[in-house]
Amino acid sequence: MKLNKKVEYALMALKHFSELDHQEGTVQSTVSAKDIAEANHSPAEVTARVLQTLSSHGILKAEYGLHGGYRLVKDLAKVSVYDLVNIIEGSTDLAKCISDKECDLLKKCKIVSPVENLNKKVQNFYKSISVEEVFHV
Amino acid sequence: MKLNKKVEYALMALKHFSELDHQEGTVQSTVSAKDIAEANHSPAEVTARVLQTLSSHGILKAEYGLHGGYRLVKDLAKVSVYDLVNIIEGSTDLAKCISDKECDLLKKCKIVSPVENLNKKVQNFYKSISVEEVFHV
DNA sequence: CAATATCCGACTAATTTTGTCGCCTTTTGT
DNA sequence: ACAAAAGGCGACAAAATTAGTCGGATATTG
């Protein structure tokens, strides 16, 4: 039931981007992975990987080169916690058995549908919360 | 964000108990840890431990001896998913830092209150779902 | 008093999470 | 042209957590 570090780093990074104020009509400047990591005291390599993942999913946009880095390109009001966790962790399933075709136990067990039921409720809940909403306490 | 095995075993066990039909006004018969484990194909020792935990928290009642075992003594409509996870896992915190006084990172980081905020929302959600509700798909 | 239960501490094994390293490609400034 | 700074990515190593096992103690019943 815990958030993992990568999701935390992603949240920290997104918060960093969301706090950059930038002029109306201008393009927000880029921030390098290194700078994000330093600002958040998060390990550089891991942070870089997280940013790459966010970039490959269209939340950030990456730019190569000397003054490269990342830029926020998606409205965080339109990114749900569900989206974020799926992007970073790859799944929001409550139990492995839900996607696991080889689970002997759960084929026999009586709780597959109850767990699937709970799973849907939880996922819908996470879908209902945007990242922006999380930041505005 | 995943349920761990112990919680799954607990759900399976509770479902087992909830399906024992028993006469109005009579005491529900006991089921041993061994029987529960066999019925659910769950490892005996771990299952036993889970049942002990449920027992020490007043959800089941244990009886020693030859015809001993466990008996459901709490209305599952009054046990929330939040309760269950807390009993089995000891915590429902989304991030370690929330209870961890020694987290250097999070003292400096910008997302403690956002994460606490999200944490409360999630916990309230889990409080709103009873175990009985999970079983009645 | 033997059989069958729960109870519980300590331990091991397996898995997952977390972080690191090395090397690659792309872009920019000099 | 080319060095420096940036992202991209596969493979690996370390740490932490989760899952499961073992041994023995206590309680109850026939």
Side-chain angles (χ1 to χ4, degrees), chain A residues 52-124:
Chain A
Q52 283 164 32
T53 307
L54 291 175
S55 163
S56 74
H57 284 82
I59 293 179
L60 302 177
K61 186 150 191 305
E63 271 171 39
Y64 279 90
L66 198 51
H67 301 300
Y70 296 90
R71 177 183 295 146
L72 184 62
V73 289
K74 192 149 181 176
D75 182 357
L76 292 182
K78 288 176 185 159
V79 179
S80 67
V81 173
Y82 175 84
D83 295 331
L84 187 66
V85 173
N86 263 305
I87 287 171
I88 304 293
E89 296 193 19
S91 152
T92 43
D93 286 342
L94 273 183
K96 261 195 299 196
C97 65
I98 288 172
S99 48
D100 182 359
K101 272 105 190 172
E102 301 191 17
C103 170
D104 285 356
L105 185 60
L106 276 285
K107 262 173 214 155
K108 298 168 197 153
C109 89
K110 308 164 181 169
I111 60 158
V112 199
S113 39
V115 168
E116 282 174 348
N117 180 33
L118 180 59
N119 199 42
K120 273 177 200 153
K121 289 184 189 197
V122 174
Q123 292 189 342
N124 284 334

Side-chain angles (χ1 to χ4, degrees), chain B residues 5-64:
Chain B
K5 294 282 185 191
K6 282 186 193 169
V7 174
E8 286 179 29
Y9 298 152
L11 281 171
M12 292 190 221
L14 290 176
K15 180 139 172 94
H16 187 105
F17 282 108
S18 77
E19 283 173 346
L20 292 178
D21 46 17
H22 65 112
Q23 264 59 46
E24 190 72 31
T26 63
V27 183
Q28 197 175 45
S29 57
T30 61
V31 185
S32 72
K34 199 180 153 210
D35 289 349
I36 292 279
E38 275 171 15
N40 294 326
H41 307 270
S42 59
E45 305 290 342
V46 179
T47 303
R49 206 58 84 95
V50 167
L51 296 178
Q52 284 164 32
T53 307
L54 290 174
S55 164
S56 75
H57 285 82
I59 292 179
L60 302 176
K61 184 150 192 305
E63 271 173 37
Y64 280 90

Side-chain angles (χ1 to χ4, degrees), chain B residues 14-117:
Chain B
L14 290 176
K15 180 139 172 94
H16 187 105
F17 282 108
S18 77
E19 283 173 346
L20 292 178
D21 46 17
H22 65 112
Q23 264 59 46
E24 190 72 31
T26 63
V27 183
Q28 197 175 45
S29 57
T30 61
V31 185
S32 72
K34 199 180 153 210
D35 289 349
I36 292 279
E38 275 171 15
N40 294 326
H41 307 270
S42 59
E45 305 290 342
V46 179
T47 303
R49 206 58 84 95
V50 167
L51 296 178
Q52 284 164 32
T53 307
L54 290 174
S55 164
S56 75
H57 285 82
I59 292 179
L60 302 176
K61 184 150 192 305
E63 271 173 37
Y64 280 90
L66 198 50
H67 301 300
Y70 296 89
R71 179 183 294 146
L72 184 61
V73 290
K74 191 147 183 178
D75 183 357
L76 292 182
K78 289 177 185 159
V79 180
S80 66
V81 173
Y82 174 85
D83 295 332
L84 186 66
V85 174
N86 263 305
I87 287 171
I88 304 293
E89 297 192 19
S91 152
T92 42
D93 286 343
L94 272 185
K96 261 193 300 196
C97 65
I98 288 172
S99 48
D100 182 359
K101 272 107 190 170
E102 301 191 16
C103 171
D104 284 356
L105 185 60
L106 276 284
K107 261 174 214 154
K108 298 169 199 154
C109 90
K110 308 164 180 170
I111 61 160
V112 199
S113 40
V115 168
E116 282 175 348
N117 180 33

Side-chain angles (χ1 to χ4, degrees), chain A residues 6 33 44-54 70 88:
Chain A
K6 282 186 193 170
E45 305 289 340
V46 179
T47 303
R49 207 59 84 95
V50 167
L51 296 177
Q52 283 164 32
T53 307
L54 291 175
Y70 296 90
I88 304 293

Side-chain angles (χ1 to χ4, degrees), chain B residues 118-135:
Chain B
L118 179 60
N119 198 42
K120 273 177 200 153
K121 288 184 189 196
V122 173
Q123 291 189 342
N124 284 334
F125 176 71
Y126 278 117
K127 280 178 191 168
S128 77
I129 309 174
S130 74
V131 172
E132 185 177 76
E133 202 179 329
V134 173
F135 291 156

